[in-house]
Amino acid sequence: MKKENSAPTMKDVAREAGVALGTVSKVVNGLPVGDSYKTRVEDAIRKLNYQVNSYAQGLKADRTYTVALLIPNTIDPFYASLTHYINTALMKRKYRMLLCATDFDPRQEQEYVRMAQHNRVDGIIGLTYNPELIVDENIPFVAIDRSMGPKIPCVACDNFFGGQLAAEKLADLGCKNVAFLRSGSPLVNEPNKRKAGFETGCLSRGLAYEMKLLNDGDSYEEFERFLSEHISDGKLAFDGIFCVTDRLAYLILHSLRKLHQRVPEDVQLIGFDGIRAFGSIDYHCSTIVQPVPEMAEMCVDLLLRENMMAKPPLVCLPVTYAYGGTTLEPLT
Amino acid sequence: MKKENSAPTMKDVAREAGVALGTVSKVVNGLPVGDSYKTRVEDAIRKLNYQVNSYAQGLKADRTYTVALLIPNTIDPFYASLTHYINTALMKRKYRMLLCATDFDPRQEQEYVRMAQHNRVDGIIGLTYNPELIVDENIPFVAIDRSMGPKIPCVACDNFFGGQLAAEKLADLGCKNVAFLRSGSPLVNEPNKRKAGFETGCLSRGLAYEMKLLNDGDSYEEFERFLSEHISDGKLAFDGIFCVTDRLAYLILHSLRKLHQRVPEDVQLIGFDGIRAFGSIDYHCSTIVQPVPEMAEMCVDLLLRENMMAKPPLVCLPVTYAYGGTTLEPLT
């Protein structure tokens, strides 16, 4: 019989139920077994007070050394870069990566979560804005950019400080009247903290600011209208603009040119993400750079960590400012 | 006993050797079995003249519905886009994709080939310039951009015609003296046909042309020197330049600006690949566009095709020209 004071193991459950260890594993993982076996295993689990949290521990021998990455696509350069560095971090640890480009399809996402539950992957790293995705807290899951529950670690850059840094940089560069332009998901998520950080920075540095906030799916023309409405006598009311992404900054740069505003002479522009042309050449704009290699390492490290208690609910990694031609050049 | 005139199956081998079917499968796939079993199976294979080519046929039940993609990285936008569309094509067919970002590491590439040999993936799609990669002709493999043997299908865009199209476009746009700039792998591969296609186009349209060919690892400054040497009295000897990739065209565009040459007024520039900023906005330059979604579909289609005879050794898919600001604007 098992020793006093130690938690019951899967082996204890098998002995108590009078079934093979593999049968217990199947029941625990929701795989099909005969009804009578299922009842016996479930009764034994109740009797021994076998804890769900120790399942993962007991299943170590079943490792597939495979981790699934849920990501909308690999065409967007931020997603493509995350994919690359997560892949590299996994391969360094002799793990393989199943890539699931979801295009935000909730069925695809849920299917991969099911695979993890059935032990066909050891864990999931997921960047998903799908509020309906159901993740069992007992399967290893690390979320990127959106918290999915207190027991699921979330990795992001320090979005709040990134917003604050953008405001402080614009202040340092001489701006007085600034704007924040944002297009994105209306869900609560980490990138949405850029707005609050920017406001904090503006307030602390005495910058006057306005905001134009759009949701995914809203027409981009709303931004052009907003800018046009803030031009009088050919002069824009803002001398600095912070855009929620480099992608938006790129589009705004073109709109400003059409409106005969010179960047950076008339108005300085800062984006967010740190995207480079062709993945490695120039920044598209001056930008707050996300530490993608470090975020990838952290995701993999948290996912494969065996001690659940050592998994913090939110890890924010430091951002940096990079000059990319759309602000006044730093003095050298 | 088995019928006359039909090829021996794995079942026949198992019966002849007096072992279980799974044992034959293991031997065929190089998995460990006891020495005496191995000898019996190998003897039976020889006696029945069981053909290696029918192994794949016999193993259908062992399908993993998993395909490995070998690709240098997902940071380069061409690779990132290929990865996305191959993933989409596989998911449409209920297959999953193991991503192996190799950074051209031959050990990683060979390891994934071994996985396929051991039936842990159903096949491999690979973009590799590694001349030492050994691929067993009996495992499903589709190569991208480099032929790896007569029995391994290779998918590419029509690189030769792409080069020719670039020359013809420059001629249509009024150029008389053109140059081809190339940096890449010295290996025989499909993209290297761009040069021969360009020469053919120049000859047929009576364009004078010069070439500057560098290999990966050569200093980019060689191109700047080449351009400088072809400037006299502030005027460049070329009125059109074809670059082997959009990435190179992007760099050359900046070099030409430093040399006070206006693009497209003084010199028109065409790249190759069809890369857009942020994966979906503007082309970085006027370009020959690779049909990436179609190439991805073709790779998956060829890989999963069961009839080996229907797998052509080389499939070239059609390219198109796209205006991207570095040539004279088309009349509309």
Side-chain angles (χ1 to χ4, degrees):
Chain A
M1 290 300 291
K2 77 188 194 66
K3 279 181 261 169
E4 294 287 330
N5 298 327
S6 72
T9 66
M10 202 183 276
K11 273 188 184 166
D12 298 324
V13 175
R15 199 181 300 121
E16 177 70 29
V19 301
L21 187 57
T23 308
V24 180
S25 167
K26 279 183 183 162
V27 171
V28 162
N29 288 290
L31 295 172
V33 296
D35 276 350
S36 72
Y37 284 105
K38 195 171 173 216
T39 310
R40 277 153 70 186
V41 171
E42 285 172 347
D43 287 349
I45 285 176
R46 262 190 299 276
K47 185 166 170 204
L48 297 179
N49 195 26
Y50 177 61
Q51 290 301 308
V52 173
N53 277 350
S54 55
Y55 286 176
Q57 206 71 5
L59 287 171
K60 255 188 235 168
D62 294 349
R63 271 196 203 175
T64 61
Y65 290 94
T66 306
V67 165
L69 174 67
L70 306 185
I71 197 133
N73 60 63
T74 61
I75 293 179
D76 174 285
F78 175 64
Y79 298 149
S81 169
L82 257 180
T83 301
H84 178 75
Y85 287 106
I86 289 172
N87 194 280
T88 304
L90 285 168
M91 297 217 309
K92 230 170 59 184
R93 293 164 177 83
K94 308 283 180 209
Y95 274 73
R96 294 164 307 192
M97 187 175 100
L98 273 178
L99 177 63
C100 177
T102 61
D103 268 322
F104 296 106
D105 178 351
R107 282 171 309 127
Q108 286 291 351
E109 293 178 344
Q110 199 64 64
E111 167 62 22
Y112 274 75
V113 171
R114 239 189 321 267
M115 277 179 55
Q117 279 164 337
H118 291 186
N119 235 33
R120 301 211 314 273
V121 298
D122 292 345
I124 299 176
I125 298 171
L127 194 161
T128 156
Y129 292 123
N130 168 16
E132 279 149 34
L133 183 65
I134 300 157
V135 180
D136 181 336
E137 289 188 336
N138 293 304
I139 64 165
F141 194 106
V142 172
I144 301 170
D145 273 359
R146 188 172 74 87
S147 173
M148 298 180 67
K151 288 193 184 168
I152 295 176
C154 174
V155 173
C157 76
D158 191 342
N159 285 283
F160 186 96
F161 178 70
Q164 189 181 331
L165 182 59
E168 289 172 357
K169 274 289 160 190
L170 290 174
D172 289 346
L173 291 162
C175 296
K176 305 286 182 210
N177 295 286
V178 298
F180 174 58
L181 305 183
R182 178 259 193 203
S183 170
S185 162
L187 279 180
V188 172
N189 61 52
E190 291 302 310
N192 282 343
K193 294 182 181 170
R194 292 169 197 175
K195 168 177 169 286
F198 187 70
E199 286 187 284
T200 302
C202 288
L203 291 171
S204 79
R205 299 295 295 267
L207 292 176
Y209 67 91
E210 285 197 46
M211 307 243 171
K212 181 68 183 176
L213 310 175
L214 300 185
N215 290 330
D216 286 334
D218 290 346
S219 164
Y220 174 78
E221 284 165 24
E222 298 254 343
F223 286 126
E224 295 204 321
R225 193 172 311 127
F226 174 81
L227 293 174
S228 299
E229 286 167 1
H230 285 81
I231 292 178
S232 64
D233 296 331
K235 200 174 143 40
L236 186 68
F238 312 116
D239 50 12
I241 296 178
F242 172 45
C243 293
V244 74
T245 59
D246 291 342
R247 184 190 161 89
L248 181 59
Y250 180 91
L251 295 169
I252 292 295
L253 181 62
H254 285 75
S255 297
L256 288 168
R257 282 186 187 149
K258 277 200 293 184
L259 294 166
H260 309 293
Q261 304 300 313
R262 293 170 306 163
V263 176
E265 297 86 346
D266 300 327
V267 53
Q268 302 186 64
L269 197 59
I270 294 180
F272 202 108
D273 283 343
I275 305 300
R276 292 169 184 262
F278 297 93
S280 59
I281 311 179
D282 305 319
Y283 290 111
H284 286 280
C285 55
S286 296
T287 181
I288 307 298
V289 182
Q290 296 211 49
V292 176
E294 290 77 9
M295 289 165 68
E297 275 289 330
M298 182 59 72
C299 286
V300 172
D301 180 56
L302 287 172
L303 189 75
L304 302 181
R305 201 174 276 186
E306 292 185 6
N307 180 1
M308 272 304 288
M309 303 314 290
K311 296 191 182 192
L314 176 62
V315 179
C316 293
L317 296 170
V319 294
T320 49
Y321 167 78
Y323 169 73
T326 57
T327 45
L328 293 172
E329 204 146 0
L331 295 171
T332 46
Chain B
M1 291 303 290
K2 75 186 196 66
K3 278 181 263 172
E4 294 285 333
N5 298 327
S6 72
T9 67
M10 203 184 279
K11 271 188 186 165
D12 299 325
V13 175
R15 200 180 298 120
E16 177 69 31
V19 301
L21 186 58
T23 308
V24 179
S25 167
K26 278 182 184 164
V27 172
V28 162
N29 287 290
L31 295 172
V33 296
D35 277 348
S36 72
Y37 283 105
K38 196 172 171 213
T39 309
R40 276 153 72 186
V41 170
E42 285 173 347
D43 288 349
I45 285 176
R46 261 191 298 276
K47 184 167 171 200
L48 297 179
N49 194 24
Y50 177 60
Q51 289 302 307
V52 172
N53 278 350
S54 55
Y55 287 175
Q57 205 72 5
L59 287 171
K60 254 188 234 169
D62 294 347
R63 270 195 203 178
T64 61
Y65 291 94
T66 306
V67 165
L69 175 67
L70 306 185
I71 196 135
N73 61 62
T74 62
I75 293 179
D76 175 284
F78 174 65
Y79 298 150
S81 170
L82 255 179
T83 301
H84 179 76
Y85 287 106
I86 289 172
N87 194 279
T88 304
L90 285 168
M91 297 219 309
K92 233 172 57 187
R93 291 163 176 85
K94 308 282 181 210
Y95 273 74
R96 293 166 308 191
M97 187 175 99
L98 274 178
L99 176 63
C100 178
T102 61
D103 269 322
F104 296 108
D105 177 350
R107 282 170 311 128
Q108 287 291 351
E109 294 177 344
Q110 199 66 62
E111 168 62 23
Y112 275 75
V113 170
R114 238 190 321 268
M115 279 178 57
Q117 279 163 337
H118 290 186
N119 234 34
R120 301 210 315 272
V121 297
D122 292 346
I124 299 176
I125 298 172
L127 192 159
T128 157
Y129 292 124
N130 167 14
E132 278 149 35
L133 184 65
I134 300 157
V135 180
D136 180 338
E137 288 188 337
N138 293 304
I139 64 166
F141 195 107
V142 172
I144 301 170
D145 273 359
R146 187 172 75 87
S147 173
M148 298 179 65
K151 286 192 182 168
I152 296 176
C154 174
V155 173
C157 76
D158 190 342
N159 285 283
F160 186 95
F161 179 69
Q164 189 182 333
L165 181 59
E168 288 172 357
K169 274 289 158 189
L170 290 174
D172 289 346
L173 290 162
C175 297
K176 306 286 181 210
N177 295 286
V178 298
F180 173 59
L181 305 184
R182 178 257 192 206
S183 169
S185 163
L187 279 180
V188 172
N189 62 50
E190 290 302 311
N192 283 342
K193 293 182 183 170
R194 292 169 197 175
K195 168 177 169 284
F198 186 70
E199 287 187 284
T200 302
C202 289
L203 291 171
S204 80
R205 298 295 295 269
L207 292 176
Y209 66 92
E210 285 197 44
M211 308 242 170
K212 181 68 184 174
L213 311 175
L214 300 185
N215 291 331
D216 286 333
D218 289 346
S219 164
Y220 173 78
E221 283 164 25
E222 298 253 341
F223 286 127
E224 295 203 323
R225 192 171 314 129
F226 174 80
L227 293 174
S228 300
E229 286 167 1
H230 285 82
I231 293 178
S232 64
D233 296 332
K235 201 172 143 40
L236 186 69
F238 312 116
D239 50 12
I241 296 177
F242 172 46
C243 293
V244 73
T245 60
D246 290 344
R247 185 189 161 88
L248 181 59
Y250 180 91
L251 294 169
I252 292 295
L253 181 61
H254 285 75
S255 297
L256 288 168
R257 281 186 188 148
K258 278 200 291 180
L259 294 166
H260 309 293
Q261 304 300 312
R262 294 171 305 162
V263 177
E265 297 86 345
D266 300 327
V267 53
Q268 301 187 64
L269 196 60
I270 295 180
F272 202 109
D273 281 344
I275 305 300
R276 292 169 184 262
F278 296 94
S280 58
I281 310 180
D282 305 318
Y283 290 110
H284 286 280
C285 55
S286 296
T287 182
I288 306 298
V289 183
Q290 296 211 49
V292 176
E294 290 77 9
M295 288 164 68
E297 276 290 331
M298 181 58 72
C299 286
V300 172
D301 180 55
L302 287 173
L303 189 76
L304 302 181
R305 203 174 276 183
E306 292 184 8
N307 179 359
M308 273 302 290
M309 301 315 290
K311 297 191 181 191
L314 177 62
V315 179
C316 293
L317 296 170
V319 294
T320 49
Y321 167 78
Y323 169 72
T326 57
T327 45
L328 293 171
E329 203 146 0
L331 295 171
T332 48

